[in-house]
């Protein structure tokens, strides 16, 4: 599978009203790797991530130019079915957003709306992905309790399980550990590292050490511009752009 | 001198702060004192549950009026709650911003129109509509002055209350939660139904209860279109006689018959207590919702 | 590409569309009902609307369809609403200041006071009318402008108070502290900083309360009386627009009912004006307030 590019971003520009937040970004995201997007606050990381599954569509005053090609299909083409695009990607947000329902229902929600109805299939799927997210043992006896009773770290893993349960190809994480304690953060990081065998992972972070730990491929975004990208080891070892070097050494943040 | 002024101001303000509680107490106590004349001689249950209303014979059964109010209010809510919630869903979940912003003055204006204006409009349009269109459709005869006419007018008056509160409840649902559902491939409606409505369920309940308590006490508009016949109504096309209308039509002129006066005060007391009960209930729910959101 | 998943997707998208249309239709219905009300009232009022209606008091036989206007009711309503709003304002401003300056955010007293204000806000206007009547008798007053003002002021008080409270709660804490730390007493802070800062918002609240006061009928039904003359003192009875509409509509004569429509149009226009003024104010309010 190596060498494939499930997502290819071509000359993507995003505007909020008059403010251009992404400037002509082009990036090929490698399959079965963890791609980490780094950059200072406000540089457009979240915007880039949201543009990948068209979550920007409903934001007021947004204009999007350029293409995002997913499995050979331009997701912004008029005929593209947005729910199908989104189903192909699981999103982990900055703080875990559990749906107002039970633990079980949270995971079953996605499969159910996509047509999985049979009780046993649902049960199996919920158990499987809770296992994958490393949460099963902690919650198997209280699946019917509201998801909000879980700790924040558990909630984030629940969101991971929920995203995986619709069987996406790609996992998007927007600073998925920023609300978590160090222990839970490590737990989630470990899950992501395991998941890259089966999925393509894109993670946004502003924690450089985390980027070093998990990144296979690195993209540095600065003021809406994609300054540098390449295999993580190369970029960390020998950044070509002075701005990247400054950021990696902590001179700009 | 400056400090003295400050101290004085503080005193005065402390007094003013007690005013709201005092007023609530005074209103309830005042109405109670005035209704004592009849509460002393007639058992409360008889006042509330008898439908014999013959003031000159000294019979003051409030049942027709209580049922009249309940019928009109329930009719209004059955019409207003679904429409208001759907309208709020549209404004909050589907509509572009300019529509949402443009809708605000409409809702405000609807809330600000005086009840007599609603009443006049009801007499011009709703009453003939009920009498000449809806009643024949339902195969009954009706003058149009009916529970249904009152319910329709009252429903429109209740829109702004329910829409306003529901919009606030929806606005308190974080966008990230909607995004979470959408990014699983859910449609807007699926997201609204399973996430937004579920998260806001209590707040919407509160909005409806608040609407109920507003509608229950509405006087003039309903009075003008509901027919005012003191009998327990049997269908939506019958005339009714709500409590507030009873008070408005007769109070102040009945000083000559003391027990009549007291009976009307009892009606006002009952009305106040019911409205306050639902009002407080709605506030409690809202406070709980607000606390949970933080 | 025509598998069960696609069929299902089609159904889901149809459901989405269905509810989108249903929700939009409901919103349209709300808008439409406002247009319908305004349209009907204005349309029906055209035959009877005239300038002399605004400048004349009812002449002999007015309620049988003869000469005259509703100046008595317009003037009465304005006097009444101005008086009541002024009185309500005198009570509301100190209370709102008290809630926001003397009491901290988590104060129990403030929470309870707000709760009782909400309770008062929910009391039906007919109950204020009955209560006002009791007070009136207790004070030995007759149905008069004064009694009407007192009653309507009670009705407006919670509305105005909550409106002022809302804008004052938005004033940033630092502003209050900045003034305090300059050695100003609370009283000075209150007037120099808070009131000036929130003035446009307060005015919007005043207009809102004024609109409520001028449009309410049930509270003045027993307390303000009714007369064909423009009141000249607080002890005179006063006619009001809502009641004039109500009484005119209650006559069996079509000409008089026409006048009820025209009077309703006048009242509606007054309310529209107030609401427009309020909008303009609140737009200004958001511009001037230090964020
Ligand atoms: N809905 C919006 N409307 C207008 N401007 C926006 C909106 N969302 C984001 N922006 C602006 O776009 C820019 C990029 O925002 P974005 O959230 O993508 O940054 P980020 O890199 O994710 O920052 P952070 O690390 O703080 O999360 C910022 O300047 C932000 O103010
Ligand atoms: Mg971000």
């Amino acid at each position: 599978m190596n060498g494939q590019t499930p997502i290819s971003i071509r000359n993507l520009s995003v505007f909020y009203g008059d403010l251009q937040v992404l400037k002509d970004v082009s990036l090929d995201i490698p399959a079965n790797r963890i791609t980490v997007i780094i950059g200072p606050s406000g540089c457009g990381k979240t915007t880039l991530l949201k543009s990948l599954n068209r979550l920007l569509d409903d934001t007021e005053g947004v204009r999007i130019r350029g293409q995002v090609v997913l499995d050979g299909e331009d997701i912004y083409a008029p005929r593209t079915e947005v729910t199908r695009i989104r189903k192909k990607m699981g999103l982990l947000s900055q703080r875990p957003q559990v749906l107002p329902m039970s633990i079980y229902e949270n995971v079953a929600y996605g499969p159910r709306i996509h047509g999985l109805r049979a009780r046993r299939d649902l049960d199996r799927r919920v158990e499987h992905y809770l296992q994958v997210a490393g949460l099963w043992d902690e919650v198997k006896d209280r699946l019917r309790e509201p998801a909000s009773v879980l700790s924040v770290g558990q909630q984030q893993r629940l969101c991971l399980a929920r995203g995986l349960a619709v069987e996406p190809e790609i996992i998007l994480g927007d600073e998925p550990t920023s609300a978590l304690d160090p222990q839970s953060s490590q737990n989630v990081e470990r899950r992501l590292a395991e998941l890259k065998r089966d999925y393509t992972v894109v993670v946004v972070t502003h924690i450089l050490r985390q980027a070093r730990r998990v990144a296979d491929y690195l993209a540095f975004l600065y003021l809406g511009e994609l300054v540098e990208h390449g295999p993580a080891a190369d970029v960390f070892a020998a950044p070509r752009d002075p701005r990247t070097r400054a950021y990696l050494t902590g001179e700009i943040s | 001198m400056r400090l003295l002024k400050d101290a004085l101001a503080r005193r005065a303000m402390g007094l003013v702060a007690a005013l709201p509680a005092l007023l609530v107490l005074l209103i309830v106590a005042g109405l109670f004192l005035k209704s004592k004349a009849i509460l002393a001689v007639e058992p409360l249950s008889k006042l509330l549950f008898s439908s014999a209303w013959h003031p000159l014979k000294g019979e003051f059964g409030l049942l027709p009026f209580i049922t009249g109010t309940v019928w009109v209010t329930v009719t209004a809510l059955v019409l207003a709650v679904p429409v208001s919630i759907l309208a709020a869903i549209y404004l909050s979940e589907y509509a572009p911003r300019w529509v949402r912003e443009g809708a605000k003055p409409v809702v405000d204006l609807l809330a600000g129109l005086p009840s007599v204006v609603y009443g006049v409009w009801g007499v011009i349009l709703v009453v003939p509509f009920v009498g000449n269109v809806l009643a024949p459709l339902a195969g009954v005869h009706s003058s149009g002055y009916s529970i249904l006419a009152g319910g329709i007018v009252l429903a429109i008056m209740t829109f702004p209350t329910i829409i306003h509160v529901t919009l606030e409840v929806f606005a308190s649902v974080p966008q990230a939660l909607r995004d979470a559902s959408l990014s699983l491939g859910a449609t807007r409606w699926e997201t609204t139904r399973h996430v937004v409505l579920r998260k806001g369920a209590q707040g919407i309940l509160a909005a409806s209860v608040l609407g109920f308590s507003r509608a229950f006490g509405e006087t003039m508009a309903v009075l003008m279109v509901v027919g005012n016949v003191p009998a327990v109504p049997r269908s939506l096309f019958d005339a009714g006689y709500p409590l507030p209308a009873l008070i408005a039509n007769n109070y102040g002129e009945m000083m000559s018959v003391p027990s009549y006066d007291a009976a009307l005060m009892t009606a006002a007391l009952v009305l106040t207590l019911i409205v306050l009960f639902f009002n407080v209930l709605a506030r409690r729910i809202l406070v709980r919702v607000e606390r949970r959101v933080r | 590409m025509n598998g069960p998943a696609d069929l299902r997707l089609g159904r889901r998208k149809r459901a989405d569309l269905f509810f989108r249309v249903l929700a939009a239709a409901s919103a349209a219905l709300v808008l439409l009902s406002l247009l319908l009300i305004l349209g009907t009232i204005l349309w029906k009022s055209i035959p009877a609307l005239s300038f002399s209606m605004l400048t004349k008091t009812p002449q002999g036989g007015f309620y049988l369809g003869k000469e005259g206007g509703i100046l008595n009711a317009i003037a009465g309503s304005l006097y009444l609403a101005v008086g009541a709003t002024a009185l309500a304002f005198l009570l509301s401003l100190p209370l709102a200041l008290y809630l926001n300056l003397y009491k901290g955010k988590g104060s129990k007293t403030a929470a309870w006071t707000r709760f009782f204000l909400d309770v008062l806000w929910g009391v039906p206007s007919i109950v204020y009318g009955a209560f006002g009547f009791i007070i009136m008798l207790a004070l030995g007053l007759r149905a008069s402008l004064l009694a009407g003002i007192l009653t309507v002021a009670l009705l407006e008080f919670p509305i105005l108070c909550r409106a002022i409270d809302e804008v004052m709660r938005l004033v940033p804490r630092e502003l209050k502290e900045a003034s305090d730390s300059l050695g100003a007493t609370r009283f000075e802070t209150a007037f120099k900083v808070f009131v000036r800062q929130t003035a446009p918002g307060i005015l919007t609240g005043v207009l809102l309360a004024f609109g409520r006061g001028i449009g309410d009928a049930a509270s003045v039904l027993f307390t303000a009386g009714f007369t064909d003359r423009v009141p000249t003192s607080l002890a005179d009875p006063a006619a009001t627009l809502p009641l004039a509409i109500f009484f005119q509509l209650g006559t069996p004569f079509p000409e008089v009912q026409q006048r009820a429509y025209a009077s309703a149009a006048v009242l509606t226009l007054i309310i529209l004006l107030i609401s427009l003024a309020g909008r303009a104010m609140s737009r200004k309010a958001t511009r001037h307030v230090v964020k």
Side-chain angles (χ1 to χ4, degrees), chain B residues 238-260:
Chain B
D238 282 355
Y241 205 160
L243 277 176
L246 170 74
I247 304 167
N249 274 340
N250 301 296
Y251 190 61
E253 295 157 18
M254 289 304 158
M255 304 305 290
S256 46
V257 191
S259 51
Y260 196 155

Side-chain angles (χ1 to χ4, degrees), chain A residues 46 94 174-175:
Chain A
T46 299
Q94 205 157 349
D174 187 0
E175 306 189 23

Side-chain angles (χ1 to χ4, degrees), chain B residues 133-288:
Chain B
V133 181
L134 292 183
L137 273 181
V140 293
H141 182 78
S142 167
S143 68
Y145 288 93
S146 57
I147 298 279
L148 186 56
I152 292 174
V153 171
L154 200 49
I156 297 176
M157 299 180 75
T158 323
F159 284 161
T161 308
I162 304 182
I163 291 178
H164 191 88
V165 180
T166 308
L167 277 179
E168 269 176 20
V169 170
F170 286 168
S172 74
V173 176
Q175 181 59 36
L177 199 59
R178 293 186 181 88
D179 285 353
S181 166
L182 290 173
S183 63
L184 293 169
T187 62
R188 243 257 148 227
W189 169 247
E190 284 160 351
T191 302
T192 303
R193 179 170 155 216
H194 298 297
V195 178
V196 180
L197 283 182
R198 209 187 278 204
K199 190 90 183 167
Q202 282 203 336
I204 294 170
L205 178 71
S208 307
V209 175
L210 206 58
F212 182 86
S213 93
R214 285 308 266 174
F216 206 86
E218 174 50 42
T219 310
M220 293 312 268
V222 179
L223 159 78
M224 289 161 81
V225 299
V226 82
N228 302 329
V229 175
V232 176
R234 271 190 234 97
S235 96
L236 285 181
F237 294 98
D238 282 355
Y241 205 160
L243 277 176
L246 170 74
I247 304 167
N249 274 340
N250 301 296
Y251 190 61
E253 295 157 18
M254 289 304 158
M255 304 305 290
S256 46
V257 191
S259 51
Y260 196 155
D261 183 53
L264 289 176
M265 279 301 177
T266 312
L269 184 64
V270 170
L271 180 71
T272 311
L273 292 180
I274 294 177
V275 168
L276 290 191
F277 172 76
F278 282 104
N279 199 24
V280 169
L281 182 70
R283 299 277 166 207
R284 291 236 85 108
I285 303 174
L286 279 177
V287 166
R288 259 227 324 261

Side-chain angles (χ1 to χ4, degrees), chain A residues 16 19 21 40-47 59 94 175:
Chain A
Y16 289 118
L19 180 71
V21 176
S41 185
C43 68
K45 303 183 296 289
T46 299
T47 306
T59 315
Q94 205 157 349
E175 306 189 23

Side-chain angles (χ1 to χ4, degrees), chain A residues 102-234:
Chain A
S102 71
I103 295 171
Y104 179 94
E105 294 294 330
N106 257 275
V107 185
Y109 177 76
R112 202 175 260 157
I113 57 178
H114 291 293
L116 190 68
R117 280 292 151 87
R119 189 79 223 177
R120 302 188 53 184
D121 295 346
L122 273 175
D123 286 351
R124 208 173 311 133
R125 185 146 349 162
V126 169
E127 174 172 353
H128 176 68
Y129 287 105
L130 281 173
Q131 299 261 20
V132 174
L135 193 61
W136 175 252
D137 291 333
E138 290 161 61
V139 300
K140 61 173 185 258
D141 298 324
R142 44 181 186 149
L143 291 171
R144 298 289 154 202
E145 284 179 36
S148 50
V149 303
L150 296 176
S151 76
V152 184
Q154 289 172 324
Q155 286 185 10
Q156 192 63 304
R157 278 177 286 146
L158 179 67
C159 290
L160 182 60
R162 185 183 66 197
L164 295 175
V166 296
E167 312 202 314
E169 300 160 15
I170 298 156
I171 299 167
L172 308 174
D174 187 0
E175 306 189 23
T177 62
S178 65
L180 309 186
D181 59 275
Q183 195 75 51
S184 305
S185 299
Q186 271 194 5
N187 203 336
V188 169
E189 269 179 34
R190 231 181 359 251
R191 296 295 145 197
L192 291 177
E194 286 167 20
L195 287 170
K196 73 179 175 189
R197 269 185 296 141
D198 304 313
Y199 302 87
T200 301
V201 182
V202 183
V203 178
V204 162
T205 184
H206 63 256
I207 310 170
L208 275 176
R209 270 189 295 151
Q210 186 174 52
R212 278 182 211 277
R213 279 196 301 267
V214 299
D216 299 311
Y217 197 85
L218 193 71
F220 174 55
L221 207 58
Y222 187 66
L223 298 179
E225 208 181 312
L226 183 62
V227 172
E228 184 162 352
H229 61 98
D234 300 355

Side-chain angles (χ1 to χ4, degrees), chain B residues 23-24 27-28 31 69 73 115 154 157 209-222 242-245 247-248 265-280 283, chain C residues 116-133 151-159 212 216-223:
Chain B
L23 264 177
V24 174
I27 290 176
V28 174
L31 293 178
T69 314
T73 311
S115 31
L154 200 49
M157 299 180 75
V209 175
L210 206 58
F212 182 86
S213 93
R214 285 308 266 174
F216 206 86
E218 174 50 42
T219 310
M220 293 312 268
V222 179
L243 277 176
I247 304 167
M265 279 301 177
T266 312
L269 184 64
V270 170
L271 180 71
T272 311
L273 292 180
I274 294 177
V275 168
L276 290 191
F277 172 76
F278 282 104
N279 199 24
V280 169
R283 299 277 166 207
Chain C
F116 279 113
L117 278 173
D118 283 341
V119 169
L120 279 180
W121 187 86
V123 171
S125 67
I126 185 78
V127 172
Y128 279 110
F131 179 67
F133 189 72
T151 310
V152 176
L154 288 182
L155 174 90
E156 288 184 19
F157 168 61
I159 299 168
R212 275 300 156 76
D216 198 73
S219 59
V220 290
L221 196 53
F222 326 124
T223 51

